[in-house]
Every structure is written in structure tokens, then in C-alpha cells.
Amino acid sequence: MRKNHGGLALALLALAGCADTSGIPDNQPVQMHARLESFESCGALESYLEDAAVLDMRATMERSKPSYWKSRGGWFGGTPEMGDAAGDPVPTTGSPGGGGTGSPAPDDYTGTNNQVDGVDEADFVKNDGTRIFVLSGQKLYVHRSWPAESLQAVSSLKLEGVPRQMFLRGDRVLVFSEVYPPSPGASGGTGCTPMGPCDGHGQAYGYGSAFTKVTTVDVSDLAAPHVTGELYLAGGYHDARLTGGSARLVLRDSFRWPEGMRWWPDYSQDLWNDQTRLEKELDKLMEQNERLIRASALTDWMPEGRYKRPDGTVEAVGYDCRDFHKTNAPTRPGFVTVASLDLDAQVMQAPSRTTLVTEPGEVYATASALYLATPHWWWWPEAGQADYTYVHKLDLSQPHRATYVASATVEGTLLNSFSMDEHEGVLRVATTLTRRVAEPGNDWGRLELSNRLSTYRQEDGQLKLLGQSEELAPGERIYSARFLGDKGYVVTFKQMDPLFTFDLSDPAHPRKVGELKVPGFSSYIHPLDENHLLTVGVHVAENGDWRTRALKLSLFDVTDPAHPREAFTQLVGTAYGWSESLYEHKAFNFFPAKGLVALPFSDWTQQYSGDYWGGFVSELRVFRVDPAAGFTSVGALSMKDVYQTVNYNQWSYTYSPSVRRSVMADDYVYAITDAGVRVAHVSQLSQPLATSRFDPIVYP
């Protein structure tokens, strides 16, 4: 007898016996007491996955029917845009060691701009003061970076797949890459290629879905980096954290639909014109798809991994079905896996894994806990809805295992990881509240926005609500947030940029104490010291004139939280300027030892006149920051002449990449793009000391 699975079973029953013509399952209410429950057997896990897949498949295909759109006042007709005639699936889907020359290391240097002190975040650039490692294309570039004038790419190592990010610990680099196995039979009829592991029957794992490859590289000899371990795990790369020798790799995966599933019948104009027959054909496909789904094995949904040792031997990496967890809340189908890796082990070991059968979302981690956020899933929008987020807490007190402990139901949606923070056992969350209000002639309702800060404490398997602030800034969304000790800061935006300050000293009563409105918005908040905030954002005139838009650095004085003030500002570039630091905090680089901030910056300074790159600006802007004096421009380290070439089959393209990252060490500044690394003394940024240039990127 098939086991019921709470809200999933109710949705399946609603879909099977739905009285209206759409056949779409009813929206399920928000689960106010969210929790996760582990599976007691592999049979229970497989049954749950099949039910979830059938529900998602049928609901998706029901929304393709003409009757669905007509019942909601939509239009259906004309020539459809679809895949090839075979009806290929269109699945739904839900950032100091040795090995140097012996030269003295710098007295101080900058590393990755991490959200939480002591918790390293993976990135495509890592350094330890004397060495800089960069991922570009399919290569790991190994630099000797100290002394600065001796900057040199000593070697490079080609990696499999698409390298995303990495960690550096001592003389080991741990690289996370995504590999995409081809369809079965794509390589000599076996499907077994270096791009993905295979089973004993020549069937490529994970047809059409990504694997994450973890490559361990020994960099003790900079001139000869070599691979010491290769691990393949099902799922695409999502995020990673490192505390001590414990790395937490977060993987994401949509459902791996069975081969042969079809989402649309073979196209013909006659069928398209006969919408009654079209709907019957869709019904037939749904029945065929369900049979394929029910016939799938557990390893089709979640393939095993593989570990390849340096001697070439390969062993399977399985999983324990009891480490999978289902939620009692309505969320999109998918997998989120936290794999715990021991970076200090002499030989790479199979990781322990904790998997949530749900849609991936934002990740926030401290040294002792990791939080995963996933949104409530509404099948379709309608008046009366409010968006909610389910936050699940994993305990990291065991160095190489993540254990589920509690969940919270939070009204609203999170912007990014900075929307969450844990302090003295209390989780603080900043959310934008989105509610659909009834409006005549609009079945979906009118969106109304506001914002709020809430606090939670773990108790009896729940993250229980402690307190909430008043609702803030109606009609606006959160653009940035930062929690610092018992203080909190939130920026919202519509036309003006209100900076809200919060007193969080009493977690049960989070209280807004101040507000400041300035034009534009800040998208990242960085603590300069206890009483000052350094932010990067965009200046927007009060009248909305985009021609006055510019990148903006701001220095806020929050000595008196009740009366915050924008003490200094620095506009950068023209209305066409932009910086990766606007949406990626790891691109922002503040060097406290020298009072310097480095900002990757791109711009166009002249009208197009045949030379596309002639007016392009790719540089690292450096400013001195002082709480009493504000911003002083130090200069710019240009990279516009460091070109990159991409080759793909017969196609080739050469361009000037934007600066993406930077490193500062003593009085030297390094600018990093996808094409190379350049260094200059901070007093002479226009006169580079050395440049390394990367090889052309070649894709097979």
C-alpha cells in the first residue's frame, strides 16, 4: 500500500479528482509549523519521489492546456514555440601556506570578503599573501604573488567540466566544478566519458543533469600542481562554506526526469487547431509519463557518486536513504544536499550527506550551524495569498556531519544570505512581505509590499518566533541588510533609499530606532567600525532621471542609531558604469590595515565609433576611507588592455573582461579578471609592476 505524505498526498488527491476544468491542484495553505522528517527506508523515499514527480508533471502539463488559459481570461492559439518533434523533456526548475619562494610574506593582506568571521566562503579567487589562485575557463592558474614585482603565473592545471569556486587550505586547493554527462550512447555508444562517471552497464549517470566534481589539488610545488583526488556527487554546485578543516558543500538538483518523457505531443497544425483533441493527446502523454515515472528506480532520481583515486581506481559513493528528509510544507520538488568534507584527511574520504527533498534557496552559515531557506510554493497566484519562506537549521557541531534540528515558517521572502544572521542563539531574519489583495477584474490580485525584521529561537524542534518589528516602507523592497551584534540595518528602495536602524538588544522586541532617506539605494553594507557603515550602491535622482545615475560609495555615521546620517558620498563613473560588487559581496574589498577600499569597475566613456572596446573601461578603483574625512581617490589600476579569447568549435571571440576581484597586500594592489592578474604599488596605480595573462579559453 502506498504511503501518504501529508500535503503531497492531498495535492495528488486534489489533482486526481479536481472538479474544475483546469485539473490544476488546489493551492496548499502555508504550513505554520514547518518541520523535516527523515525517511525510514529506501522504499518510502522512492515512493515519495514518484508521487512528487507525478504531481509536478501533471500540474505542469495541465497548465499547457487551452482550457486552463481560457478559464483565466488568457489567449490560446497561433503557432507554439516548443522543442523538437520528438517531444524532448523541458523539465521544471525551481555564488598562508608554504610553497612560495622563501621571500618574506606581506605583513597584512586581504582575503575573501566573508559574511561571518571564521567561516570561509568559496570563490573563484583565493590567496594567502604569497600565492594567488584563479579559476578561469577550465584552468586553475597558480601564481607566485610575493614579492609583488615578481608576480607570475607559475603554472596552470586543466580541470574537467566547468570550474565554479574553490577553497585553499594550506597546500591543498579544493575545486568545485560542474560536469554534464551526455545522453546515453553519446560517446561510442556507451555514454561513458571523462565528463561523468558510469555504471557497469555503460549507462551515463544523471542523464541531462549536472554532477558536482570535487577535485583536490596539491599545490605544495607551485610549478607542478597535481590532482590527488576526484569525487563526483549528483547535483549542481550551489554554495560552500569552510570552518577549520570541515567544508560544507551545498548541492542543488531538479528532478532527473526519465528518458522518453514528453511534455508536448508531436506538432501538427490540425492538432493545434483542434483544441479538444489536443487536450486528449496531453492526457495520453500524462498517462505515459506517469508509467515512466513509476517504473524509475531510486538511483534514476538520485544517482550514486564515484571517487577516483590518484592511482586510477574507482569506487562507488553511495548514500543512506535515512539521510534524506521530506518537508511537511508545500515547496517545489528538487534536492538540496549538504555534503561534509574533511579537508585535513590524508586521503579524500566519502562525505556524509544530508539531503532535503525541496527546492534550493538561500544559504547562511556560522561555525556551528547552517541555515537553508526555501520558498512556499503556490501552484498559481490568486488574491489572498502571502509569500512565506521555510528556514531549516542544520547543526554543524560534529566536524564532518550536518544534522537537522529545527525549522521556522517566516512570512516574506529573503533577498540573499545577508537577510539572515545568528547571534547568541537567536536567528534574525529580514524579509520583504508580498501579499496579493483582491482587485476587481484581476484574478491574480494586486501586489502589496512591505518589510519586516523577525527573531527566532530554537525550542523543541522548532525555530519559534520571539518577536517582530513593525512593518516598514510600504510599497518598497529590501535591497540590502546587515546585522552587527545587537544592531541591525536594512535598506529598502523605490525611488528613495531609506536606511533603517534597529535595536536588537532585546531579541523578543526588535525595535526600529532610526530612519534616513537618501536618493538611490545601497546594495551592500560593510562595517567600517563600530559607528560607521561603508556601502556600495547606485545613486538615482529623486525624479528618476537615469542620466544622472552613477555608482555610489557612501559612509554612514550610525553613532546615534536614532539619527543616522550619510556623512560622505563618492560617485563613480557615468550612467553606464557598473560593478560586480553591486550584487556580489566577494567583489567588494576593504583593507582595514590601510584604510583602503578597492572596487571593480566598468564603464563606457565615449559613443560607439566603430571601435567597440575603445571607450570601454575595465579597472580597479581604489579609495582611501576615513570616518572624519570621507573618501579620497587613490587612483585606478586599468585592465582594459588584458584581453581574453574564447574559442568554441569554429567560433572565436576576443574581448576585454571586467575586473571582478582584487587583493591588497601591504602597499600593493592586485586586479583580477578572467584574462589575467596585474599588480601595482598603491601610490602608482597607473604604472603596473607585473601582469600575468591567461591562455585563451577553449570549450570542446
Side-chain angles (χ1 to χ4, degrees):
M1 181 176 179
R2 186 171 298 280
K3 196 173 180 181
N4 286 340
H5 302 288
L8 176 59
L10 291 174
L12 278 167
L13 289 172
L15 182 59
C18 191
D20 69 37
T21 58
S22 72
I24 305 296
D26 292 334
N27 276 316
Q28 299 298 301
V30 173
Q31 175 54 257
M32 299 308 297
H33 299 284
R35 69 178 186 275
L36 298 179
E37 178 184 341
S38 62
F39 291 91
E40 57 192 34
S41 68
C42 289
L45 172 59
E46 184 175 346
S47 171
Y48 182 88
L49 296 179
E50 289 176 6
D51 287 348
V54 168
L55 176 62
D56 192 66
M57 177 273 295
R58 285 186 172 274
T60 299
M61 295 185 70
E62 288 285 354
R63 286 197 296 266
S64 299
K65 289 183 174 180
S67 57
Y68 169 77
W69 293 102
K70 289 181 178 180
S71 68
R72 285 162 174 75
W75 172 88
F76 190 93
T79 302
E81 294 183 2
M82 64 188 93
D84 62 30
D88 285 341
V90 186
T92 56
T93 57
S95 173
T101 63
S103 301
D107 293 330
D108 205 349
Y109 61 91
T110 61
T112 302
N113 182 25
N114 299 310
Q115 179 179 357
V116 178
D117 289 341
V119 181
D120 192 21
E121 300 177 28
D123 199 10
F124 73 92
V125 173
K126 287 292 174 180
N127 86 99
D128 64 1
T130 64
R131 305 173 298 179
I132 295 177
F133 301 88
V134 183
L135 294 172
S136 179
Q138 289 187 289
K139 290 186 176 182
L140 169 67
Y141 289 90
V142 179
H143 292 79
R144 180 177 293 112
S145 60
W146 195 261
E149 60 271 14
S150 301
L151 170 71
Q152 179 186 6
V154 179
S155 62
S156 65
L157 179 68
K158 187 173 182 180
L159 300 163
E160 180 184 1
V162 182
R164 295 287 304 279
Q165 294 183 334
M166 62 182 161
F167 286 127
L168 169 64
R169 180 166 175 80
D171 286 332
R172 290 185 181 180
V173 172
L174 199 71
V175 181
F176 306 114
S177 305
E178 286 188 335
V179 296
Y180 297 87
S183 59
S187 177
T190 68
C192 298
T193 76
M195 289 295 289
C198 308
D199 67 15
H201 305 287
Q203 169 69 49
Y205 282 143
Y207 167 51
S209 297
F211 272 69
T212 293
K213 182 183 179 184
V214 184
T215 306
T216 305
V217 183
D218 185 325
V219 293
S220 55
D221 181 355
L222 295 185
H226 60 279
V227 174
T228 59
E230 299 171 275
L231 174 69
Y232 297 85
L233 297 174
Y237 176 79
H238 189 62
D239 212 338
R241 299 290 189 274
L242 175 64
T243 303
S246 298
R248 315 291 179 165
L249 167 62
V250 184
L251 307 169
R252 69 182 190 282
D253 210 354
S254 57
F255 274 9
R256 296 167 184 252
W257 298 103
E259 187 182 2
M261 269 189 59
R262 300 174 64 187
W263 299 84
W264 197 263
D266 292 339
Y267 172 71
S268 75
Q269 189 63 48
D270 290 341
L271 179 63
W272 188 256
N273 292 335
D274 188 346
Q275 295 180 2
T276 300
R277 187 160 67 92
L278 174 60
E279 298 207 358
K280 290 181 179 179
E281 290 297 319
L282 285 168
D283 288 335
K284 290 180 182 178
L285 284 183
M286 282 189 267
E287 295 298 325
Q288 296 172 14
N289 288 343
E290 180 164 355
R291 286 194 291 272
L292 290 171
I293 288 171
R294 300 292 184 194
S296 298
L298 180 58
T299 51
D300 295 327
W301 299 109
M302 177 56 72
E304 292 183 334
R306 284 206 164 188
Y307 174 57
K308 182 178 179 182
R309 299 186 183 279
D311 61 6
T313 59
V314 177
E315 64 181 59
V317 177
Y319 47 78
D320 189 335
C321 294
R322 295 169 296 182
D323 290 333
F324 285 71
H325 298 72
K326 63 184 177 182
T327 174
N328 65 340
T331 60
R332 288 296 301 272
F335 300 99
V336 185
T337 297
V338 179
S340 299
L341 303 164
D342 182 1
L343 268 62
D344 291 336
Q346 292 300 312
V347 178
M348 181 183 285
Q349 305 294 321
S352 69
R353 282 180 279 180
T354 301
T355 299
L356 283 58
V357 185
T358 187
E359 179 183 17
E362 298 300 332
V363 176
Y364 165 75
T366 68
S368 60
L370 186 144
Y371 294 87
L372 298 168
T374 186
H376 176 86
W377 173 240
W378 300 109
W379 286 104
W380 74 91
E382 60 182 348
Q385 291 176 351
D387 286 342
Y388 277 77
T389 300
Y390 303 109
V391 178
H392 307 292
K393 178 181 179 180
L394 304 182
D395 177 75
L396 304 181
S397 58
Q398 295 178 267
H400 309 303
R401 184 168 184 82
T403 304
Y404 167 71
V405 290
S407 299
T409 302
V410 182
E411 185 178 5
T413 56
L414 283 65
L415 174 67
N416 52 32
S417 65
F418 288 91
S419 297
M420 293 184 280
D421 179 84
E422 184 188 273
H423 180 66
E424 297 180 348
V426 175
L427 175 67
R428 295 92 68 90
V429 186
T431 56
T432 293
L433 310 180
T434 306
R435 297 158 180 156
R436 292 188 176 272
V437 180
E439 183 178 59
N442 182 359
D443 292 340
W444 289 1
R446 182 184 74 256
L447 283 180
E448 289 190 350
L449 305 177
S450 61
N451 307 275
R452 185 161 61 200
L453 192 151
S454 306
T455 58
Y456 299 83
R457 189 187 297 276
Q458 182 181 333
E459 182 180 332
D460 299 328
Q462 288 283 312
L463 292 170
K464 292 190 175 180
L465 180 66
L466 279 179
Q468 294 179 325
S469 72
E470 63 186 274
E471 292 190 19
L472 309 166
E476 300 186 3
R477 291 184 178 274
I478 291 176
Y479 269 61
S480 59
R482 196 72 190 247
F483 298 91
L484 303 170
D486 59 3
K487 299 176 183 178
Y489 305 95
V490 172
V491 169
T492 63
F493 177 70
K494 187 174 182 180
Q495 283 298 133
M496 300 292 286
D497 170 2
L499 169 69
F500 296 97
T501 62
F502 293 87
D503 179 358
L504 306 177
S505 57
D506 180 0
H509 300 91
R511 183 171 59 92
K512 186 198 84 170
V513 294
E515 177 181 348
L516 174 67
K517 293 185 177 181
V518 294
F521 61 86
S522 299
S523 58
Y524 173 66
I525 302 171
H526 192 90
L528 183 67
D529 57 36
E530 185 178 355
N531 296 315
H532 296 87
L533 303 176
L534 180 60
T535 72
V536 61
V538 175
H539 169 79
V540 179
E542 293 186 40
N543 63 7
D545 185 356
W546 71 270
R547 292 170 296 183
T548 64
R549 173 195 176 280
L551 199 70
K552 181 173 79 167
L553 288 167
S554 294
L555 185 60
F556 289 94
D557 186 334
V558 291
T559 305
D560 180 2
H563 300 92
R565 64 187 184 91
E566 188 177 37
F568 300 98
T569 63
Q570 175 72 52
L571 298 184
V572 184
T574 74
Y576 302 98
W578 72 282
S579 172
E580 189 170 337
S581 63
L582 288 171
Y583 59 87
E584 173 55 82
H585 65 279
K586 285 174 276 194
F588 185 93
N589 192 2
F590 175 62
F591 194 13
K594 299 294 182 178
L596 297 175
V597 60
L599 200 68
F601 182 69
S602 298
D603 204 348
W604 273 271
T605 58
Q606 65 186 36
Q607 292 184 345
Y608 178 66
S609 59
D611 178 10
Y612 183 81
W613 298 109
F616 180 66
V617 174
S618 173
E619 60 192 17
L620 187 71
R621 292 284 185 98
V622 182
F623 299 90
R624 198 170 302 280
V625 186
D626 181 85
F631 298 97
T632 303
S633 178
V634 175
L637 178 55
S638 177
M639 292 288 284
K640 68 172 294 182
D641 62 316
V642 183
Y643 287 87
Q644 179 57 276
T645 298
V646 176
N647 296 307
Y648 180 76
N649 291 333
Q650 302 301 315
W651 181 82
S652 181
Y653 177 64
T654 299
Y655 70 106
S656 175
S658 298
V659 174
R660 301 187 60 196
R661 296 291 188 273
S662 64
V663 171
M664 290 185 277
D666 287 353
D667 293 319
Y668 296 90
V669 178
Y670 301 77
I672 303 168
T673 75
D674 292 331
V677 180
R678 174 169 284 170
V679 63
H681 192 277
V682 70
S683 65
Q684 296 177 312
L685 292 176
S686 62
Q687 301 177 31
L689 296 171
T691 302
S692 78
R693 298 175 188 265
F694 299 160
D695 300 329
I697 297 174
V698 179
Y699 292 109

